[in-house]
Amino acid sequence: MDANKIFFINSILKSFKNSGLRSLVIFIAIIIGACVSSAFINVYADIDAKVSKELNSYGANLIISPSDFEKENFISEKNLSLAFSKIPKELVLAQGKFLFSSANIGTTSAVVMGVNFESLKKVMPYLDLQSGKMINLDFDNKNALIGVNLAKIAGFKVGDEVEIKNSFDNNVIKVRIKGVVYDGEKEDNLLIISLSLAQEFFKKDGLINYSNAIINTDFQNLSQISKSLSNEQIHFEPVSKISKSQGAILDKIKLLMALISIIILIITAICVNTSLSSILLSRLKEIALLRAIGASKKNILNLYTGEIFTLAMLASIVGAFAGFLLAQILGEAIFSSTINFRFISVVVAIIVSLVFAFLASFYPIKKALNANMANLLRGE
């Protein structure tokens, strides 16, 4: 190793030692900037899937109904299954099927809704229990759920046996109330039984009134799927309130993340700028002496940029990997799940941090190099 390299390394080490607290401030500021950048890049890459999952928990985003209610009030399950077979299976998170008919329960007239219980809570997440238990099996033909309003009117409670009488043919079946449910919607006024039992009881085998589903995709793609699957018998319609909000929410979150990152990087740059200005101000006489013994401005520039690069590189690497830990904290706090690690986040965070560090260093170094060396050596 030649003398110049030894001098260069010794100068950098001496600089770190002498500047002490001020170098530590620069080091911590760059770590914070790199950490936030890395964390947000990792979260940004996962945010589409995470937000989609959260919005899908709000219920169905696709409604399927007969194309012409004046001609036909029912959908064939066979035709519906054929249509759904054209949607990639990994996109269909849940599907609900519903059949309605009027009946007498005890001395009260009511609307009975047949459903597939296994997907009921997925497509209707706001349907909650007031008392009793939910039904989770599609083939449970012995139990039923009753809406809170209908339970009050008819005088039924959990455990009661209900006699359902078909209004059209006087056919009778009996079910036991397993739970009282409410959601502030039409379900508060319904008696809910299994779809298979409703089809058999009302003689509507293989038929439903409408269906809904949760499709894991954005509004634009969902609209294209709906348009391609709609025909003379079945109409597919996206629930725009949920589907459109997904894109809007994602755009706002991404914009907010970008703004926070920029603000933190600007604060980091200000910390680097002020701390480096203080360091260089205390070393102006050292710069003057180096110039006096023959060092050029380029030599001194190389020396100080080397110091900044070494400090910034070490801090950026530490901050970039720390950002992955911060991403996990954000993932658990916001989405209750982990964030995948992407090496590109480390690379981008290091590059961005170095760029901001050098931009912040430009003016202090330029000012130090342009100082009047003669006056500095005279102590003026």
Side-chain angles (χ1 to χ4, degrees):
M1 187 179 292
D2 58 40
N4 287 334
K5 288 184 178 180
I6 294 174
F7 174 76
F8 183 77
I9 294 172
N10 287 336
S11 297
I12 290 176
L13 294 175
K14 182 182 177 182
S15 171
F16 292 158
K17 182 180 178 181
N18 293 337
S19 55
L21 184 60
R22 288 169 293 187
S23 289
L24 182 62
V25 170
I26 295 175
F27 188 76
I28 293 174
I30 296 173
I31 284 178
I32 293 173
C35 180
V36 171
S37 299
S38 175
F40 280 6
I41 291 168
N42 278 305
V43 174
Y44 186 93
D46 269 12
I47 197 168
D48 284 7
K50 302 298 183 184
V51 172
S52 294
K53 183 179 178 181
E54 288 294 318
L55 290 177
N56 287 336
S57 68
Y58 294 160
N61 59 357
L62 182 65
I63 300 295
I64 306 97
S65 60
S67 293
D68 191 344
F69 282 102
E70 293 183 1
K71 295 181 179 179
E72 182 59 68
N73 293 325
F74 299 99
I75 300 172
S76 166
E77 285 190 281
K78 183 178 179 181
N79 291 339
L80 183 64
S81 297
L82 183 63
F84 265 86
S85 67
K86 299 176 182 179
I87 304 175
K89 289 183 179 180
E90 65 272 13
L91 296 184
V92 183
L93 302 183
Q95 181 189 3
K97 299 176 184 177
F98 306 90
L99 177 66
F100 297 90
S101 189
S102 59
N104 294 319
I105 57 170
T107 58
T108 306
S109 296
V111 175
V112 178
M113 179 173 72
V115 302
N116 44 345
F117 283 117
E118 290 181 10
S119 62
L120 183 62
K121 278 295 290 180
K122 293 179 181 178
V123 296
M124 292 183 175
Y126 297 111
L127 186 68
D128 291 322
L129 274 173
Q130 185 187 66
S131 59
K133 295 180 179 179
M134 291 296 286
I135 302 173
N136 299 312
L137 299 174
D138 286 344
F139 53 81
D140 188 344
N141 293 338
K142 296 181 179 179
N143 296 299
L145 301 174
I146 189 169
V148 61
N149 292 341
L150 180 59
K152 289 179 181 178
I153 294 170
F156 291 116
K157 62 183 182 298
V158 173
D160 287 349
E161 188 176 69
V162 179
E163 184 179 88
I164 307 174
K165 185 177 182 180
N166 193 325
S167 303
F168 302 100
D169 61 8
N170 293 324
N171 187 24
V172 175
I173 57 171
K174 293 181 180 181
V175 293
R176 191 170 298 279
I177 302 298
K178 191 172 183 179
V180 178
V181 295
Y182 67 96
D183 66 354
E185 301 291 339
K186 66 180 185 301
E187 287 72 29
D188 292 359
N189 302 295
L190 302 177
L191 180 69
I192 306 172
I193 62 176
S194 71
L195 179 62
S196 59
L197 179 61
Q199 290 173 330
E200 180 184 350
F201 183 59
F202 295 114
K203 296 180 173 55
K204 302 294 182 183
D205 291 341
L207 298 176
I208 58 173
N209 289 114
Y210 85 96
S211 175
N212 60 13
I214 301 174
I215 309 298
N216 189 23
T217 187
D218 57 38
F219 180 74
Q220 184 176 359
N221 192 34
L222 186 60
S223 297
Q224 292 174 352
I225 291 173
S226 301
K227 188 175 181 180
S228 66
L229 294 181
S230 294
N231 54 44
E232 294 180 357
Q233 288 80 37
I234 307 174
H235 177 68
F236 287 75
E237 182 69 28
V239 181
S240 58
K241 186 180 292 185
I242 294 176
S243 301
K244 282 185 177 179
S245 65
Q246 179 173 328
I249 291 172
L250 282 172
D251 290 342
K252 289 179 181 179
I253 292 175
K254 289 176 179 178
L255 178 60
L256 179 61
M257 289 172 60
L259 289 173
I260 292 173
S261 297
I262 291 170
I263 290 171
I264 290 176
L265 286 169
I266 290 173
I267 294 172
T268 297
I270 292 171
C271 289
V272 172
N273 182 278
T274 53
S275 299
L276 187 60
S277 296
S278 177
I279 291 172
L280 292 177
L281 182 65
S282 66
R283 297 176 64 184
L284 284 176
K285 286 189 177 181
E286 178 186 335
I287 295 172
L289 286 172
L290 290 172
R291 291 292 306 280
I293 61 177
S296 65
K297 285 187 177 182
K298 183 178 179 181
N299 295 140
I300 297 172
L301 178 64
N302 290 339
L303 175 65
Y304 287 106
T305 53
E307 292 179 10
I308 294 299
F309 178 79
T310 303
L311 189 65
M313 177 58 77
L314 290 173
S316 297
I317 292 172
V318 173
F321 283 100
F324 177 63
L325 298 178
L326 177 59
Q328 300 311 306
I329 295 172
L330 293 174
E332 288 293 338
I334 300 172
F335 305 114
S336 298
S337 64
T338 57
I339 301 295
N340 295 327
F341 174 76
R342 291 170 174 80
F343 185 73
I344 188 65
S345 66
V346 175
V347 176
V348 173
I350 290 174
I351 292 173
V352 170
S353 299
L354 289 175
V355 168
F356 271 81
F358 277 108
L359 288 175
S361 306
F362 175 76
Y363 180 73
I365 293 176
K366 180 182 178 182
K367 184 178 180 181
L369 292 176
N370 291 332
N372 191 311
M373 299 303 158
N375 291 337
L376 290 173
L377 291 172
R378 287 197 299 268
E380 297 178 3

